[in-house]
Amino acid sequence: DLATALNDRGQIKYLRVEFAAAVEDYTAAIQCQPGFEVPYYNRGLVLYRLGCFDEAMKDFRKVLELNPQFEDAALSLKQAILDKEEKQKRGY
């Protein structure tokens, strides 16, 4: 389906380090199928790598709202929270 295709295309762009383009594809996949948790997770990973911790945490929380058993999202959320706290401690 279209949402899966958009998510997969986003993955290819992510692997090519084309983060902005990957985020666009993940967002399009979400708009196409809002209950599909995978593109929220993938977009969260890109946002996390870019240091956008609040946005990443929002996506990881949405994944867990849609699928509470999504273990990688729970781990990523915890890591984003820790990294945000560390960044704040260091005054960045």
Side-chain angles (χ1 to χ4, degrees):
D1 66 62
L2 182 58
T4 301
L6 288 165
N7 180 71
D8 292 348
R9 189 173 73 178
Q11 282 295 95
I12 292 166
K13 291 176 181 176
Y14 173 76
L15 294 172
R16 291 182 179 161
V17 196
E18 299 171 8
F19 293 148
V23 167
E24 285 178 19
D25 280 345
Y26 297 140
T27 301
I30 290 164
Q31 290 168 341
C32 188
Q33 189 177 336
F36 183 25
E37 72 270 20
V38 176
Y40 287 101
Y41 176 70
N42 289 332
R43 186 174 69 179
L45 290 177
V46 174
L47 293 168
Y48 171 82
R49 286 197 59 184
L50 294 172
C52 302
F53 298 124
D54 290 330
E55 294 92 335
M57 289 185 292
K58 183 178 176 187
D59 276 349
F60 296 143
R61 285 187 177 109
K62 182 65 177 180
V63 172
L64 294 169
E65 175 187 314
L66 293 168
N67 179 359
Q69 308 305 315
F70 202 122
E71 202 170 305
D72 286 345
L75 293 171
S76 296
L77 176 59
K78 287 178 189 171
Q79 192 61 54
I81 291 167
L82 290 171
D83 288 354
K84 180 184 176 188
E85 289 171 357
E86 184 63 29
K87 184 178 173 183
Q88 287 172 332
K89 281 183 202 169
R90 294 180 182 202
Y92 296 142

